[in-house]
């Protein structure tokens, strides 16, 4: 079973490949998605990594608060997206 992790405080120059490499040290990575601004296409400084459950626990312990590209990462289990009211 896989877990989805939230990865925050990423440098805007971080790539999906770099993030994948960092997380692969802890287990099999299924997917990496860095979020971009819809209007500008520029990175928003966070993303999601999906990986095996055991590796996810290890990655959270090892990478949360660690330097990555000059910034301290925030890594935790992703929470389900809440419904937002439509305007």
């Amino acid at each position: 079973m896989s877990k989805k992790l939230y990865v925050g405080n990423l440098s805007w120059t971080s790539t999906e490949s770099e993030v994948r490499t960092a997380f692969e040290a802890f287990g099999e990575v299924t997917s990496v998605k860095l979020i971009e601004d819809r209007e500008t296409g520029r990175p928003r400084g966070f993303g999601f990594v999906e990986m095996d459950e055991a590796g996810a626990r290890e990655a959270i312990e090892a990478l949360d608060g660690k330097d990555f590209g000059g910034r301290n990462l925030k890594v935790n289990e992703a929470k389900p997206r809440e419904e937002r009211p439509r305007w």
Side-chain angles (χ1 to χ4, degrees), residues 3 5 7 9 11 27 31-32 37 44 46 48-49 52 54 57-61 71-73 76-77 79 81 87:
K3 281 258 191 237
L5 303 178
V7 183
N9 204 31
S11 162
S31 67
V32 176
D37 185 276
R44 294 198 47 207
F46 72 95
F48 299 93
V49 173
D52 66 274
R57 283 192 302 274
E58 286 184 43
I60 290 170
E61 288 180 27
R71 301 186 72 160
N72 293 335
L73 290 181
N76 56 36
E77 191 173 334
K79 296 178 175 77
R81 190 171 179 174
W87 297 95

Side-chain angles (χ1 to χ4, degrees), residues 22-62:
F23 281 79
E24 282 179 335
F26 304 98
E28 182 181 347
V29 174
T30 309
S31 67
V32 176
K33 175 68 177 154
L34 300 186
I35 307 303
E36 297 176 345
D37 185 276
R38 286 182 217 173
E39 311 251 333
T40 65
R42 292 170 53 183
R44 294 198 47 207
F46 72 95
F48 299 93
V49 173
E50 195 168 342
M51 64 186 304
D52 66 274
E53 200 165 331
R57 283 192 302 274
E58 286 184 43
I60 290 170
E61 288 180 27

Side-chain angles (χ1 to χ4, degrees), residues 8-12 14 45 65-74:
N9 204 31
L10 287 166
S11 162
W12 291 320
S14 296
K66 298 297 182 208
D67 179 78
F68 184 80
R71 301 186 72 160
N72 293 335
L73 290 181
K74 176 68 179 163

